[in-house]
Amino acid sequence: MAGARVETLLARMRMRSHRGRTALRKSAVDYFRGDASDWLAFIGLLLTVPAIACGTLMLPVWFSPSALVLPIVAGGLLLRPASLLALYAASAAALIVEALVLGPYTQGPARVTPGTVLVVAACGFFGLVIAQFRSRVGVPWRRGGTMLFDLRERIRVQSKLPALPRGWHREMALRPAGGQSFSGDFVVAARTNGGRTLEIVLTDVSGKGMEAGSRALLLSGAFGGLLGALPPHGFLPAANGYLLRQDWDEGFATSIHLVLDLETGDYELLSAGHLPALQLCAGTGRWQEKSGEGPLLGVYDGAEFTPARGNLRRGDVLMLFTDGLVETADREISEGIDRLTGEADRYVSAGWEGAAWHLIEKVAKDVNDDRALLLIRRSP
């Protein structure tokens, strides 16, 4: 009986120990994911306040009273507003104790001066503003950078062009405004009709950089779902209706939809207020503008889009781009297109490998606008 009781007691202790380890592990994981309370960080920072105060009282030359800004700054990044206010109260109490023990600041250095109080108060104010912003957004600072990185990678994945059969070459380059990671220009593409047809949609959302990046992310996901799920002539009307339902203040966008038959080279271009595409005819060596007719997306309901038709023969090149590549404050679109085609002529004999990236470098390297360029070439 005694042995059975001992075994039962040991089993209970092992079970409680296992539950404790599981709870501790879950708490740690939730904390670093940003899903749990901030009690661990709060306790750690709260303990640093009396430690700094003791260092200041014993070694005032090495530990300045302004060192209290360290837990305050860290608290602004780690704690929620309620916990942060408690940390501020502890820091204020530490400053009062230091001022009483060290004496008036007029009696020598290493005292609590008005300047020290102002520095600590200013850091506390900015920390509280940051904490309130994080609390309103609902994203802890530990996950904020990871989330932005994930969003950027999703945009890149959605903008990848599908592989093409032998005899076709495609490439694309996107350059956000100001060297940022988010752009108002995006591409969605898919091979439909059993892989015979290539559909590409290049869209330019109103605004630029981070301002348009959130809208571009939302639209790229929606457009990616519509592409291939609808007949080619039904895509832009559906995209227009979706944009109208968002009811954004800056709710318009331009878009160009390419529908290319990879067996015959026949294509259709449907445009929603977008710049014309450019086709290089290998037989003549001249560039031709190809553009459908249609209004901007998100302007009015019931818009109609009339396609332009053409054919890519052996050696021909089709180029799609956004206005940031050819239009600036001191340069008209026609001048920008002439410059773009002039630079593109250099790649006719040299080959088109890497041409999209290099053309943006040559034509619009320092332009403070989103730029996108897409090339489709049929091999000779």
Side-chain angles (χ1 to χ4, degrees), residues 169-171 317-319 352 355-356 359 373-377:
H169 172 74
R170 88 286 186 268
E171 61 179 78
V317 177
L318 188 66
M319 187 158 50
W352 293 88
L359 283 174
L373 178 63
L374 188 146
L375 294 172
I376 302 291
R377 178 176 183 253

Side-chain angles (χ1 to χ4, degrees), residues 264-315:
T264 64
D266 294 332
Y267 67 84
E268 284 188 343
L269 278 173
L270 298 102
S271 177
H274 201 83
L275 294 176
L278 297 174
Q279 179 178 351
L280 174 64
C281 300
T284 63
R286 295 180 179 178
W287 292 91
Q288 297 179 353
E289 293 187 1
K290 299 285 185 176
S291 178
E293 297 181 0
L296 299 171
L297 295 179
V299 176
Y300 62 88
D301 197 9
E304 297 182 356
F305 305 92
T306 304
R309 294 178 174 85
N311 179 268
L312 285 179
R313 299 177 178 86
R314 299 286 181 179

Side-chain angles (χ1 to χ4, degrees), residues 121-200:
C123 291
F125 171 76
F126 288 114
L128 186 60
V129 171
I130 294 173
Q132 288 179 339
F133 176 77
R134 288 190 291 103
S135 178
R136 183 177 61 189
V137 174
V139 179
W141 78 276
R142 301 179 301 278
R143 296 286 295 172
T146 304
M147 177 177 289
L148 291 176
F149 176 79
D150 181 62
L151 293 177
R152 186 189 68 181
E153 292 305 308
R154 288 179 183 271
I155 293 176
R156 289 184 177 180
V157 169
Q158 290 176 350
S159 298
K160 284 186 176 180
L161 300 179
L164 300 184
R166 185 177 180 182
W168 292 93
H169 172 74
R170 88 286 186 268
E171 61 179 78
M172 179 191 64
L174 286 173
R175 192 73 60 85
Q180 301 178 23
S181 298
F182 296 90
S183 172
D185 298 344
F186 67 89
V187 172
V188 292
R191 289 182 63 177
T192 59
N193 194 21
R196 172 173 176 169
T197 303
L198 173 67
E199 293 191 50
I200 299 177

Side-chain angles (χ1 to χ4, degrees), residues 177-232:
Q180 301 178 23
S181 298
F182 296 90
S183 172
D185 298 344
F186 67 89
V187 172
V188 292
R191 289 182 63 177
T192 59
N193 194 21
R196 172 173 176 169
T197 303
L198 173 67
E199 293 191 50
I200 299 177
V201 177
L202 174 61
T203 303
D204 183 0
V205 179
S206 59
K208 60 186 178 181
M210 290 291 292
E211 300 173 359
S214 58
R215 298 196 299 274
L217 177 65
L218 178 62
L219 290 182
S220 64
F223 286 10
L226 293 174
L227 191 67
L230 297 172

Side-chain angles (χ1 to χ4, degrees), residues 53-72:
C54 291
T56 302
L57 296 177
M58 292 186 294
L59 298 171
V61 176
W62 290 97
F63 290 88
S64 170
S66 59
L68 287 171
V69 301
L70 298 177
I72 288 177

